[in-house]
Amino acid sequence: DARRLAIADQLLNEVSTAPASRLLTLLGHSIKWQQQHGQLSEDVPYDLFFGRSQTIRPPEDKAPHKLLATIKFPKKQCPHSIAFSADGAYLATGSADGFIELWNFMSGKLDTGLRYQADGAMMVMDDAVGCLAFSHNGELVCSGAMNGKIKVWSVKSGSGAKRFSAAHSQSVSCVAFSKDDTQVLSGGADSVVRIHGLKSGKMLKEFRGHSAPVTGAVYSDDMTRVISTSEDGSVRVWDANTTACVCSVIPDADKHGLAIPPAHTIVAIPGNSNEFVVATKSPTIYIVSLDGNVRRAITADKTTCNEFLAVAVTPRGKHVLAVSDMSILHYVDIETGSIQTANSKVPLEDVIGMACHPTLNIAAFFSNDRRVPVWTA
């Protein structure tokens, strides 16, 4: 015992110790440095255990109306698609030059916490990226290109997890993961909707019937149905197993006659497994059910909207955010049909698309401009 104590005393003289509070101080300095350099937001608490900003769910939906950050692209480049990750950690952009980049949407800076982005080893396709979607577990991001190819990437490493080189014969217009993240649903300018298996790397199902490019496709909550929209103006509901078209509806077909406006967006409503938001090139937003019925048609005033260009649904599924051709953001109550408009315009002309954060009252917009403005409530 005496020998052990003597050795312990000798080691103690060689080892420097610091109070436990010193580590917390160093961590605090590190976080402050990242905030000063725009890598972390000063308004959102940081979780040291998980190494990321804490997710704070607001008590109610509110309309974004003020600028939070702006993502800027180099000259002669612009975004062609955007998407928030399911966990709300990233905003992804797909650009005209084929790059897929993940951003800190609070600061508008590239997220260099991902080593491959810090090293400049970006995810890239060999044509413009027209659509993006994250897996529900947040581990994968899927990109669809103008040359008909689809690729699935690892968010953590930036490496390609699966490639579908001939997903469509023309440009890919939309992609979405199945609820269990084992399949990718896609639609293309070839008027076809397809399901691709991530395990097999093959096309599993094909849905034909649209007479014009497919503009949107989503799964029903139980994955038994696929719902798609097209430039032919129709909304089609398909049996996900047999690929048969269960029903088809053209919203307000009697009203439009032969001049049927293209349907450009379909969005699932969080917390509502039976209804979907559909937007056409008109001033009207439709709530369509799985049985093909138009449950509600909500039309904006002519002074603020000739047609809606982009729509998204708020985190709690109570409201639709819709940007008109006048760059005015409309806040639509799904239940009552009431519409409010933001006091300031979205700082872009001819908005192409938008995305809502999955938990926060934050929305991002893009057009052929080099900027992606991010708004908050």
Side-chain angles (χ1 to χ4, degrees):
D1 289 342
R3 176 65 174 164
R4 289 176 183 157
L5 289 173
I7 294 174
D9 288 338
Q10 290 177 0
L11 289 174
L12 189 60
N13 293 329
E14 300 297 327
V15 176
S16 299
T17 60
S21 60
R22 179 59 181 162
L23 175 59
L24 293 176
T25 301
L26 292 173
L27 288 171
H29 289 164
S30 173
I31 291 173
K32 189 172 183 178
W33 184 91
Q34 292 180 72
Q35 290 174 337
Q36 291 173 343
H37 287 75
Q39 296 180 12
L40 293 176
S41 171
E42 296 183 14
D43 300 324
V44 179
Y46 188 78
D47 192 317
L48 288 173
F49 184 77
F50 287 102
R52 64 191 182 194
S53 298
Q54 293 181 10
T55 299
I56 302 174
R57 183 180 289 272
E60 60 182 350
D61 284 344
K62 291 184 178 180
H65 63 277
K66 58 185 178 182
L67 187 66
L68 173 65
T70 301
I71 295 170
K72 297 179 180 179
F73 283 74
K75 291 181 178 180
K76 298 183 180 180
Q77 293 301 331
C78 63
H80 278 204
S81 53
I82 61 174
F84 280 102
S85 60
D87 60 3
Y90 306 108
L91 174 63
T93 60
S95 64
D97 56 358
F99 282 91
I100 300 104
E101 297 167 296
L102 304 184
W103 303 83
N104 179 331
F105 57 86
M106 291 288 188
S107 65
K109 305 293 185 182
L110 194 69
D111 195 321
T112 53
L114 297 167
R115 176 56 68 88
Y116 59 93
Q117 293 200 148
D119 294 341
M122 313 303 290
M123 297 179 285
V124 62
M125 301 191 74
D126 50 13
D127 204 347
V129 180
C131 50
L132 289 168
F134 280 90
S135 61
H136 295 82
N137 62 16
E139 295 178 0
L140 303 172
V141 61
C142 179
S143 55
M146 295 297 183
N147 58 8
K149 296 180 181 180
I150 290 175
K151 193 166 183 179
V152 180
W153 311 80
S154 166
V155 171
K156 186 176 181 180
S157 68
S159 60
K162 191 68 66 174
R163 179 192 296 270
F164 302 94
S165 297
H168 290 272
S169 61
Q170 299 180 47
S171 62
V172 183
S173 53
C174 57
V175 288
F177 280 90
S178 60
K179 193 174 182 179
D180 58 4
D181 293 331
T182 62
Q183 301 172 352
V184 169
L185 176 68
S186 68
D190 55 6
S191 308
V192 180
V193 178
R194 292 191 171 111
I195 294 177
H196 313 270
L198 289 184
K199 186 176 181 180
S200 66
K202 298 179 180 179
M203 190 263 289
L204 304 178
K205 304 281 184 180
E206 185 176 74
F207 308 84
R208 291 184 175 270
H210 283 298
S211 58
V214 174
T215 55
V218 295
Y219 281 101
S220 63
D221 196 50
D222 60 5
M223 288 179 56
T224 63
R225 295 287 186 267
V226 168
I227 308 91
S228 60
T229 53
S230 167
E231 288 185 10
D232 62 17
S234 70
V235 181
R236 288 179 176 261
V237 181
W238 313 83
D239 186 304
N241 185 39
T242 67
T243 73
C245 182
V246 178
C247 57
S248 177
V249 60
I250 297 177
D252 280 345
D254 296 337
K255 173 182 174 182
H256 297 294
L258 295 177
I260 297 173
H264 59 73
T265 307
I266 181 167
V267 187
I269 303 174
N272 186 338
S273 60
N274 190 49
E275 295 178 335
F276 302 84
V277 173
V278 173
T280 65
K281 293 191 71 173
S282 74
T284 303
I285 290 171
Y286 302 93
I287 310 301
V288 181
S289 65
L290 267 178
D291 54 13
N293 290 319
V294 177
R295 297 287 178 85
R296 182 172 290 107
I298 306 168
T299 302
D301 191 273
K302 293 181 179 179
T303 60
T304 62
C305 176
N306 293 312
E307 65 178 68
F308 285 115
L309 303 180
V311 301
V313 178
T314 53
R316 294 183 177 274
K318 303 298 183 183
H319 298 84
V320 175
L321 295 176
V323 182
S324 72
D325 56 331
M326 302 179 190
S327 299
I328 297 175
L329 181 64
H330 294 65
Y331 188 59
V332 184
D333 190 302
I334 292 176
E335 185 63 31
T336 66
S338 65
I339 301 178
Q340 300 176 11
T341 56
N343 293 327
S344 55
K345 290 186 177 182
V346 176
L348 297 173
E349 292 185 3
D350 300 324
V351 172
I352 296 174
M354 63 178 295
C356 271
H357 192 277
T359 59
L360 303 175
N361 291 315
I362 290 175
F365 314 88
F366 74 97
S367 71
N368 287 324
D369 195 290
R370 294 191 297 114
R371 298 167 297 142
V372 177
V374 182
W375 277 16
T376 185

